[in-house]
Amino acid sequence: MNFQAVKSIYIYEMSRTARTLFQSVVSPVVSTSLYFVVFGAAIGSRIQSVEGVSYGSFIVPGLIMLTLLQQAVSNGSFGIYFPKFTGTIYELLSAPVSFFEVILGYVGAAATKAIMIGLIILATSYLFVDMTILHPFWMLFFLLVTAFTFALLGFIIGIWADNFEKLQLVPLLVITPLVFLGGSFYSISMLPEGWQTVAMFNPVVYLVSGFRWAFFGYSDVDPLISVAMIGVFFAIMVGAIWWIFKTGYHLRT
Amino acid sequence: MNAIVSVQNLSKTYAGGFQALKSVSLDIKEGEIIALLGPNGAGKTTLISTICGITTPSSGTVTVGGLDIQKDYRETRKLIGLVPQELTVETFETVTATVRMSRGLFGYKPDDAYIEKVLKSLSLWDKKDTQIRALSGGMKRRVLIAKALSHQPRVLFLDEPTAGVDVELRKDMWNIVRELRDDGVTIILTTHYIEEAEEIADRVGVINHGEILLVEDKAELMKKLGQKTLEIDLQEPASVIPDSLSKYQLQLSESGEKLTYTYDTNADRTGITALLTDLGKAGLVMKDLATSQSSLEDIFVNLVKEDA
């Protein structure tokens, strides 16, 4: 195991984050604050509470999930796409590193950054609402596993993409709609019956629901199912990456 | 012979069906500088990329330091440093950060003293905190060399190190290569400049259409290069070469109007003066004369032409 390489990739990626600290950290905080103003204040004044939780608090887990997924995917994809784009990937391919070490370095850094931003948003939300987290361990569990899973998805997108447009395609056209339709800002039970069934095909529903359960003890689906689902996504991502490295897809000729 | 890199029957066919390497075999001796000479698209970069692990071979084997590049990739890759042809650098990083990252990638703990030594030897020390994007092309090339040397490799691959580099910098580069060789690093460089191969290589390999056409000691090649020919046009055609000129091993053209004399420029005496004197004594009158030299370029062009 080449720990030194994992460490190098990780530090290198994190220093990229440090270099772009302003856009990395400040922009998600600003956009989250906007969500609080728009959803929490404007809409929340008409909804009051959902399942006994004030609407302002109710949307916090969804907001964190929204940013967590976007950040994990975009960091994960950019980290590996950029060396491919500039050509510096040659070094990674000629270094004594296994695919596991490469992923640990890149995905670890992407997930770390997403988690950091998730926690910053959580802290920011305390400026707007007052709440207690019922199951802090499970809250962190969902935060961590979701960040890693979607950083892996980002990594796959980064390897698949051969131009900047493709890099943006999945986050914009797939991730964001799924998060918005995944009950970030409402409870699935508020939907008409037919749409409730459709919503069950949206993987993000399980993430948001489980995460919200960790906060308030209330969920759209059984938290155990949420845990199982995120395990399944994680396994799918690992499988896909294993295949990529085995075949050299878009990496080795 | 002590081969540090051994390539046996290596073939590579890309997914599109293009065969870049056709059963290439090549042994690289420890401590030598070998230049792989060939036109663009000859397969030079594919050969290097395969040895370094960037390209997967279709068949054949490669060993580095006696170890298989696929089975023992962790050990073999540690022995190798690669300076790619393109100036692929981390634009926004500083020189030191990028070299340190390279060292870590190869599994070595940070060693600032060693990195300082490398940067100084490449005249990069005063640029150590500069972002790479602010460097000139020649400096970027040096950064790539520093990265490749960051893990103290025993074998260094330089893919077209002086392509698009001005004369001054090219000479600097040659000096760097010689110093590295003096430190015991084996160097494989690709080039399409014959002058470069002549200048620094111990051995020269000519590659074209994915095949190695020739691998020879440069000294041997130079000996061939030392051969010059003197062509003498005669005023009156001769039917036979006079006996008095037999010791010069002249060749007479079919028309009898031209004599060809081959001599070695490296010899103490070329024999030209004596020949010309004896020529007059034998009653042959010269109309014109010309000398010509077979250069590495001629050999190269002929090889590549035959191969086409």
Side-chain angles (χ1 to χ4, degrees), chain A residues 1-2 4-5 8-9 12 15 19 82 86-88 90-98 101 106 251-253, chain B residues 12 14 52-56 73-74 77 84 88-90 93 101-102 104-110 144 147:
Chain A
M1 180 83 185
N2 188 346
Q4 206 64 46
S8 293
I9 296 172
Y12 196 79
S15 76
R19 236 184 358 248
F82 202 61
T86 58
T88 52
Y90 81 88
E91 193 170 38
L92 201 62
L93 296 178
S94 63
V97 287
S98 70
E101 290 148 5
Y106 278 103
L251 282 176
R252 277 198 169 86
T253 48
Chain B
K12 173 65 186 178
Y14 284 107
C52 295
I54 296 167
T55 300
T56 319
Y73 74 96
R74 282 188 196 271
R77 291 184 192 176
T88 46
V89 284
E90 287 86 353
E93 273 301 339
M101 155 76 174
S102 297
L105 214 47
F106 280 78
Y108 290 97
K109 286 204 167 80
L144 288 177
K147 278 159 67 78

Side-chain angles (χ1 to χ4, degrees), chain B residues 14-52:
Chain B
Y14 284 107
F18 175 68
Q19 195 174 8
L21 294 177
K22 297 168 189 162
S23 195
V24 167
S25 294
L26 176 68
D27 279 335
I28 292 157
K29 297 176 208 164
E30 182 148 24
E32 74 171 339
I33 300 178
I34 181 166
L36 295 174
L37 203 58
N40 291 325
K44 303 186 296 280
T45 300
T46 302
L47 178 58
I48 287 189
S49 300
T50 309
I51 301 172
C52 295

Side-chain angles (χ1 to χ4, degrees), chain B residues 206-265:
Chain B
V206 177
I207 179 168
N208 197 29
H209 295 305
E211 288 173 298
I212 299 233
L213 304 178
L214 163 152
V215 183
E216 206 157 346
D217 277 341
K218 191 181 65 178
E220 284 296 312
L221 271 178
M222 292 313 285
K223 211 185 260 174
K224 286 182 189 168
L225 294 179
Q227 303 273 309
K228 276 188 98 171
T229 54
L230 172 68
E231 289 183 346
I232 302 162
D233 289 334
L234 300 173
Q235 197 80 47
E236 297 291 331
S239 50
V240 286
I241 299 168
D243 283 346
S244 60
L245 300 177
S246 63
K247 62 173 172 179
Y248 297 105
Q249 291 174 328
L250 296 169
Q251 281 172 329
L252 185 65
S253 67
E254 270 182 41
S255 62
E257 289 171 335
K258 187 176 286 196
L259 282 169
T260 308
Y261 171 57
T262 307
Y263 61 98
D264 186 358
T265 50

Side-chain angles (χ1 to χ4, degrees), chain B residues 104-171:
Chain B
L105 214 47
F106 280 78
Y108 290 97
K109 286 204 167 80
D111 182 345
D112 288 342
Y114 176 72
I115 288 175
E116 182 177 338
K117 191 185 140 211
V118 170
L119 293 183
K120 278 183 173 161
S121 73
L122 292 164
S123 314
L124 278 171
W125 184 241
D126 55 339
K127 303 276 186 206
K128 65 182 162 63
D129 298 319
T130 310
Q131 277 198 348
I132 295 173
R133 62 175 166 171
L135 299 177
S136 68
M139 282 293 176
K140 283 181 185 149
R141 178 80 61 190
R142 284 160 192 261
V143 172
L144 288 177
I145 298 179
K147 278 159 67 78
L149 293 176
S150 66
H151 60 281
Q152 289 145 290
R154 282 171 62 201
V155 183
L156 184 68
F157 287 90
L158 294 154
D159 197 358
E160 305 268 352
T162 58
V165 163
D166 66 36
V167 182
E168 197 68 21
L169 204 58
R170 191 173 300 166
K171 284 186 177 153

